[in-house]
Amino acid sequence: MNKSIGYSKSTLSEEQRLLFEKEFEKRKKSTLFTYLLWIFGSAFSLHHFYLGNFKKGLYFLVFGWINMLLFLFGILSLCASAQNTQSHNGKVLIILSIVSILVYLYQWFISEATIAIQVDEANEKIQKHLISEIKSREPRIII
C-alpha cells in the first residue's frame, strides 16, 4: 500500500474507516479475475477495461484486430499469388504482419507479467478516490 494512502486512512475516524473498508471490499479489483479476463478475453482487452485502463484497452483492441486482419489478408494474398511468381505483394504483407504480430505478442506477455502490479495500481486509485469521497462527506461545523 502506498504510504500516502496509509497516512490518509489514519486521518479517518473509526466510523469513516469502517465505511472505507466496506466500500473498498465492494470496489476492489481481483487479481485472479483479471488473470481470467486476460486468458479468456484478451482478444477484446477485457482485463484492461476491467482495471479502468481504457486507453490501453482500446490500443490493444484496435492494434490487435488490425494485426490479425492484416495477417489473414496476407495469407489470402499469398495463396492467391502462389500461381503468379511475379507478385511479391502477398509475401511483403505477410512479413509485415508477422513482425507486427510479434510486437503485439511481446506487449501481450509484458501485460501478463505486470497484471499484479496493474491490479495494485487500480486498487490504489480506488482507495484514493474512496478516501477523498469519504472526507468530502465529513460534516462541517460552521461557527
Side-chain angles (χ1 to χ4, degrees):
M1 181 187 334
N2 192 325
K3 287 181 181 180
S4 66
I5 292 173
Y7 171 74
S8 295
K9 274 179 62 175
S10 69
T11 62
L12 297 175
S13 68
E14 188 62 32
E15 182 181 318
Q16 290 172 327
R17 210 170 298 141
L18 289 172
L19 178 62
F20 170 82
E21 295 298 332
K22 181 181 173 187
E23 284 297 315
F24 182 65
E25 281 301 312
K26 288 182 194 175
R27 299 182 192 185
K28 76 177 181 180
K29 303 300 180 184
S30 162
T31 303
L32 175 63
F33 188 67
T34 305
Y35 273 110
L36 290 172
L37 287 174
W38 176 77
I39 291 168
F40 297 110
S42 61
F44 301 102
S45 297
L46 295 181
H47 59 295
H48 291 298
F49 292 120
Y50 169 69
L51 294 175
N53 300 327
F54 297 106
K55 288 180 184 177
K56 188 186 274 189
L58 192 61
Y59 166 78
F60 274 94
L61 182 66
V62 171
F63 187 63
W65 281 99
I66 287 173
N67 282 331
M68 291 301 169
L69 291 175
L70 280 174
F71 186 70
L72 291 174
F73 186 70
I75 289 174
L76 292 175
S77 296
L78 191 60
C79 291
S81 66
Q83 291 132 359
N84 183 359
T85 57
Q86 302 292 331
S87 176
H88 296 292
N89 292 341
K91 292 176 186 176
V92 171
L93 187 59
I94 201 159
I95 288 171
L96 287 174
S97 63
I98 287 173
V99 168
S100 65
I101 284 175
L102 289 175
V103 169
Y104 179 79
L105 287 174
Y106 172 76
Q107 292 173 332
W108 188 70
F109 282 114
I110 293 297
S111 177
E112 180 274 331
T114 61
I115 281 179
I117 295 168
Q118 293 176 51
V119 171
D120 289 343
E121 289 172 352
N123 284 334
E124 281 185 18
K125 285 180 188 176
I126 292 169
Q127 287 179 338
K128 286 179 183 178
H129 179 75
L130 271 174
I131 289 170
S132 66
E133 189 179 300
I134 289 171
K135 283 187 174 185
S136 69
R137 290 188 212 163
E138 199 173 315
R140 292 182 171 75
I141 299 172
I142 302 173
I143 300 176

